[in-house]
Amino acid sequence: MSGQTAAANVAGQAAQQSGILVKLLIFAAALAFAPVSSYFLSKDYLWDGNAVLAAITAIVAANVVLVTYVILSIREERAALLVSPASRKEPTGESKKEK
Amino acid sequence: MSVCPPYAPFFGFAGVASSMIFSTVGAAYGTSKSGIGIAGLGSFKPELIMKSLIPVVMSGIIAVYGLVVSVLIAGALTPTDYSLYAGFIHLGAGLSCGLTGLAAGYAIGYVGDSCVRAYVYESKVFVSMVLILIFGEVLGLYGLIVALIMNSAATEAGSCTY
C-alpha cells in the first residue's frame, strides 16, 4: 500500500471510530436513562401508582434498548459488507481452512 | 414480641442494598470478562466490534434489573408502620434478584468471552452466542420475577396494630 492510501485509511478509520463512539454513547445513556425514567413516569401517569406494573414497564424498556442495539449492529455489519467487499481480509480464516 | 419492631426496616434496607450490590457485581464481571475477549477480537477484526459488544450491553441490563428492584423496594419502605414480615419479604426479594443477577453476570461473562473470540474465526458463532446470552440473561429475569411476586405479597401485609 502506498503512503497516500495509508493516510486515507487512517483518516477514514478515525471518522468511523467517532461515529461508532457516538452511537455507543447514545446507547449507554439510553440504557441508563430509559428504565428508571419509564418506571417513575409510568408509575405516576400510566398505572395509577401500581409499582409492580411500573417495574415491568421498566424491564420492557431496558429490553427494547437491547433489541434495538442488536438489530442496529447486525444492520451496520451488513451495510459495511455491502460497501467494501474488496477490503474484507480473511487471512486467519484461510489459514485455518488450509489445515 | 411485636409485629412491627423498630429494627424491621434494617431488613428492608438490606434487601435494597443486596439487590443493587450483587447484581452489579455480576454485571461488572460480565462486562470485564467479555471486554477481555472483545479486546482480543478487536486486534484482528475491528469491523466486528459493534456486534461483539452485545455481551456488554446484556451485562448492563443485569444491573438494570437490580436497579429496578432496588427502586421498587425502596419505594415501599416507611419508618413507622413497617412490619417485620414486610422486612423479611423485602430482604428475600432483594437477595433473589441480586444473587440471580450475579449468576447471570457470570454466565454472560464466560460465554461472551469465549464466543467473541470464536467469532473471529467463524461468523456463524454469532447467532448461537446471542441465543446462549439470552438464556443466561433470563436467569436474572427469573430472579426479578420472583422479587416482584414477593414484593406484591409485602404490600398486602396488614398495618401494625401494636
Side-chain angles (χ1 to χ4, degrees):
Chain A
M1 277 207 308
S2 72
Q4 285 173 344
T5 51
N9 236 1
V10 169
Q13 271 178 18
Q16 207 181 29
Q17 270 172 20
S18 70
I20 287 178
L21 192 62
V22 164
K23 211 175 292 191
L24 288 174
L25 282 175
I26 290 175
F27 269 103
L31 197 58
F33 183 69
V36 180
S37 62
S38 63
Y39 175 84
F40 285 113
L41 289 176
S42 67
K43 192 159 85 114
D44 287 333
Y45 297 120
L46 261 182
W47 305 117
D48 213 14
N50 190 345
V52 174
L53 290 176
I56 293 174
T57 310
I59 296 307
V60 167
N63 282 301
V64 160
V65 172
L66 169 73
V67 168
T68 311
Y69 180 80
V70 171
I71 292 175
L72 205 79
S73 65
I74 291 177
R75 272 174 57 180
E76 178 175 315
E77 203 226 4
R78 283 213 190 118
L81 277 179
L82 285 173
V83 161
S84 59
S87 63
R88 268 183 67 218
K89 43 183 170 39
E90 293 185 11
T92 51
E94 280 172 7
S95 64
K96 262 197 101 72
K97 285 189 178 117
E98 274 169 9
K99 292 174 190 165
Chain B
M1 270 319 253
S2 67
V3 174
C4 302
Y7 51 83
F10 167 76
F11 297 103
F13 283 116
V16 172
S18 62
S19 159
M20 194 67 238
I21 290 171
F22 291 120
S23 60
T24 310
V25 169
Y29 188 83
T31 305
S32 57
K33 196 97 169 63
S34 47
I36 293 171
I38 293 167
L41 167 141
S43 49
F44 291 113
K45 286 201 176 179
E47 63 269 12
L48 298 177
I49 286 180
M50 273 292 277
K51 275 175 96 166
S52 59
L53 276 170
I54 288 173
V56 174
V57 178
M58 286 193 154
S59 301
I61 292 205
I62 295 293
V64 166
Y65 290 168
L67 174 72
V68 165
V69 168
S70 287
V71 169
L72 184 71
I73 296 174
L77 291 171
T78 53
T80 56
D81 203 21
Y82 187 71
S83 61
L84 196 58
Y85 171 72
F88 287 145
I89 287 181
H90 286 149
L91 176 67
L95 281 175
S96 106
C97 181
L99 292 174
T100 52
L102 184 65
Y106 264 60
I108 290 175
Y110 278 120
V111 167
D113 185 22
S114 324
C115 282
V116 147
R117 284 181 209 268
Y119 188 46
V120 178
Y121 302 109
E122 176 62 58
S123 60
K124 287 183 188 164
V125 168
F126 180 73
V127 175
S128 68
M129 172 177 90
V130 172
L131 276 174
I132 299 173
L133 284 174
I134 287 175
F135 274 104
E137 168 138 351
V138 154
L139 300 176
L141 190 66
Y142 293 157
L144 176 110
I145 290 172
V146 168
L148 288 181
I149 292 173
M150 290 173 88
N151 189 61
S152 60
T155 55
E156 292 163 7
S159 64
C160 304
T161 51
Y162 60 95

